Amino acid sequence: EAQVTQNPRYLITVTGKKLTVTCSQNMNHEYMSWYRQDPGLGLRQIYYSMNVEVTDKGDVPEGYKVSRKEKRNFPLILESPSPNQTSLYFCASSLFAGGRGTGELFFGEGSRLTVL
Amino acid sequence: QQPVQSPQAVILREGEDAVINCSSSKALYSVHWYRQKHGEAPIFLMILLKGGEQKGHDKISASFNEKKQQSSLYLTASQLSYSGTYFCGTAPKPIQGAQKLVFGQGTRLTINP
């Protein structure tokens, strides 16, 4: 089954404790992206990746890091989480980006993160 | 800059029609529409490209007016399954892909029996 898988789905942590949210897709998609969703603000892009070893900042990258060492995986790293990073996080992938393909995004199920 | 969606929320009875608008202060090349049911991931509905084309499937259609920098989503004879939050995503550059897509704040649609 074609899917984007995120882990963990739910996490409660404390300020400053490094954490990683994993994202994996099995559709051989080139493009992957991370979004955070907050009430009244919609989906805001954190980072995106056009392909392996190619990443770039989205609209709200502060406090986050990403890496793309393999095509299927795109982990989101919070080096020192703070309470303002409490949010619902979505990973998404698309077959192509930058002028090719339909641009349809396939989203993971979401990871709800609470930072105390 | 995020596009602005209106209304923020709408409640309908089954069978009624709804229109959701998405406006941008920037010139647009494409508009993408997604629906998210409560507790689930957003699902792709359609993409509209510069040229004013109207698209649709089933009883959901959309238009894109690049001169006015806005798009509208039309839900005709709404069904209970249409309930959810609708997001528009806009891309200012001439690309079809999902790169740098900027989403609106969402419109919550509730369909009652």
Side-chain angles (χ1 to χ4, degrees):
Chain A
E1 180 187 356
Q3 58 185 7
V4 179
T5 304
Q6 296 179 224
N7 280 296
R9 295 287 312 280
Y10 302 91
L11 180 63
I12 300 174
T13 189
V14 295
T15 299
K17 187 176 182 181
K18 180 180 178 180
L19 68 93
T20 299
V21 185
T22 63
C23 174
S24 181
Q25 50 92 5
N26 62 1
M27 296 170 279
N28 201 34
H29 284 174
E30 288 186 356
Y31 176 88
M32 297 185 74
S33 182
W34 277 102
Y35 295 87
R36 60 178 289 173
Q37 184 175 29
D38 302 290
L41 296 178
L43 293 155
R44 293 181 293 167
Q45 190 179 51
I46 303 171
Y47 270 94
Y48 66 95
S49 170
M50 299 286 283
N51 213 321
V52 176
E53 302 292 359
V54 181
T55 63
D56 205 351
K57 297 178 181 178
D59 297 314
V60 288
E62 294 77 21
Y64 305 95
K65 287 176 61 177
V66 293
S67 67
R68 187 93 181 271
K69 291 182 168 52
E70 302 168 287
K71 196 171 186 177
R72 64 183 292 127
N73 296 322
F74 191 44
L76 179 69
I77 303 159
L78 286 74
E79 293 270 0
S80 183
S82 62
N84 64 13
Q85 292 178 296
T86 293
S87 187
L88 178 60
Y89 291 86
F90 284 101
C91 178
S93 71
S94 182
L95 182 58
F96 296 119
R100 299 176 293 157
T102 66
E104 176 181 355
L105 281 169
F106 293 83
F107 284 85
E109 291 298 312
S111 296
R112 185 167 293 281
L113 172 64
T114 302
V115 184
L116 302 175
Chain B
Q1 191 168 359
Q2 282 186 291
V4 176
Q5 292 184 230
S6 62
Q8 291 188 354
V10 58
I11 300 174
L12 299 174
R13 287 190 174 179
E14 197 173 6
E16 293 182 334
D17 301 339
V19 180
I20 299 172
N21 300 303
C22 174
S23 296
S24 174
S25 59
K26 294 185 175 182
L28 300 177
Y29 183 79
S30 66
V31 180
H32 308 223
W33 285 97
Y34 286 79
R35 176 172 63 207
Q36 182 182 30
K37 293 188 176 291
H38 182 68
E40 298 181 7
I43 299 295
F44 176 79
L45 292 176
M46 64 187 76
I47 177 174
L48 299 103
L49 303 178
K50 185 175 180 178
E53 65 178 285
Q54 186 157 348
K55 277 195 170 184
H57 62 85
D58 197 10
K59 294 178 181 176
I60 301 176
S61 62
S63 63
F64 175 28
N65 187 324
E66 70 266 20
K67 287 185 179 179
K68 293 185 177 180
Q69 297 162 193
Q70 64 185 39
S71 175
S72 295
L73 186 71
Y74 308 94
L75 298 99
T76 306
S78 57
Q79 306 169 16
L80 294 176
S81 61
Y82 289 178
S83 290
T85 300
Y86 289 78
F87 293 98
C88 68
T90 57
K93 295 184 178 180
I95 56 174
Q96 289 180 256
Q99 179 188 354
K100 298 294 283 184
L101 202 61
V102 181
F103 286 96
Q105 80 280 21
T107 296
R108 177 174 289 185
L109 176 65
T110 304
I111 310 295
N112 292 321

